[in-house]
Every structure is written in C-alpha cells, then in structure tokens.
Amino acid sequence: AGSYPGLTAEDVGAVTSEPAPEPGQWTYDFSDPEGPQMGTVAIEGSSVVYGCDEPIVIIAEHFSIGVELPSEITDPVDLVVLVDRARTSFKERKFLVIDVPGEGV
C-alpha cells in the first residue's frame, strides 16, 4: 500500500488483494503493465496470511509504529506490516489502520 508515515487512506484503499492460494500452493502476480504499478511483496504462506480476508502490506519504520528492537539498533528499520483490511476492530498484537480526520492514517 505504501510507506508509513506518509500513508493516506486513499493509498490503503487503492491496493487490490489476490485471493489466498490453498495451503501448500503458490500464487503468482502478473501485473498489468498498462495499470498502476503498486508493487508486490512475497510473504511466507503461513496460516496468519491465509487467514486474512483482505491482506495488504505497509512498509513502516519501527519507531513510527512503536516496535521495540535491541538497543544497539539506533537507525530506523523498515518493517513489512501485514494488515487485513477486512478486520475493523482492535486486537492485541495485531495492526489496525485507522484514518483519523485531520491527521491521516
């Protein structure tokens, strides 16, 4: 969907999700060369990914989303954040994207 911070609700909504393949199978993305080039991210086919109804990926600096890393790491680290747009309620240890009026995503 893009990079956080700086992501908009339109960015989050613009991404299309492919249906998950059956467990143990692969899926491939052959982007339309004439369409928007949003990018593709490969993620291990775990039960977490398979359980997402509408998965998207956001790249976020660990500082910006409050993820603690070892103290030796002082520079921002980009993380791949898996978000299920179909989920609309908070759950511990899950990412929920919220569009706050006047502030953005």
Side-chain angles (χ1 to χ4, degrees):
S3 297
Y4 179 85
L7 196 63
T8 67
E10 291 77 22
D11 295 332
V12 172
V15 179
T16 58
S17 297
E18 296 295 323
E22 292 300 316
Q25 300 298 310
W26 289 87
T27 190
Y28 298 93
D29 176 44
F30 297 102
S31 297
D32 175 5
E34 303 300 319
Q37 298 302 304
M38 302 298 283
T40 300
V41 175
I43 298 179
E44 174 189 7
S46 69
S47 60
V48 173
V49 177
Y50 186 74
C52 290
D53 293 320
E54 199 175 346
I56 63 168
V57 169
I58 296 170
I59 305 300
E61 292 180 355
H62 78 284
F63 292 126
S64 68
I65 58 174
V67 172
E68 293 185 18
L69 296 178
S71 59
E72 296 82 18
I73 300 174
T74 57
D75 293 327
V77 174
D78 287 339
L79 302 177
V80 175
V81 179
L82 175 66
V83 176
D84 186 353
R85 287 186 298 196
R87 307 286 180 219
T88 58
S89 60
F90 175 78
K91 191 171 183 180
E92 187 175 334
R93 301 188 57 80
K94 303 289 181 186
F95 291 101
L96 180 63
V97 176
I98 300 172
D99 184 19
V100 179
E103 295 182 30
V105 175

